[in-house]
Amino acid sequence: MIGNLKPLEIVLIIAVILLLFGAKKLPDMARSLGKSARILKSEAKAMKRDDAEPAAPTTETVADPAPPAPARTIQAAPGDVTSSRPVGEPNPTTQS
């Protein structure tokens, strides 16, 4: 499809792009597009390299496990602190 474009059509497309984005933004857009393409290419190479290497078993042990996560709270409404409670505990106001 792109091979069928005539020179006048290409000029028209470039003119529309210039009108939409402006001449000042185009170099920045091209630069960021190039950086993104380089990052994508390097990440794809790294993934291929990781797949090619066999996973070696590690002999290191974790001495200090991750600390436990703090208790989550449920809050009925924004600003309503009387009904907030930890997730695992029963609500003291509604005992049966």
Side-chain angles (χ1 to χ4, degrees), residues 34-70:
K35 284 182 183 178
S36 300
R38 271 185 256 127
I39 290 171
L40 180 66
K41 186 176 179 181
S42 67
E43 290 296 324
K45 283 183 180 180
M47 288 175 64
K48 286 181 182 178
R49 187 174 45 245
D50 288 345
D51 288 343
E53 295 175 359
T58 58
T59 58
E60 298 177 12
T61 59
V62 178
D64 187 24

Side-chain angles (χ1 to χ4, degrees), residues 20 31 33 39-40 45 48 53 61 72 75 78 80 83 93:
L20 286 176
R31 194 174 301 119
L33 183 66
I39 290 171
L40 180 66
K45 283 183 180 180
K48 286 181 182 178
E53 295 175 359
T61 59
R72 297 183 325 178
Q75 193 169 10
D80 183 18
S83 64
T93 59

Side-chain angles (χ1 to χ4, degrees), residues 75-95:
Q75 193 169 10
D80 183 18
V81 293
T82 59
S83 64
S84 65
R85 60 184 171 80
V87 174
E89 297 177 10
N91 192 351
T93 59
T94 57
Q95 294 178 349

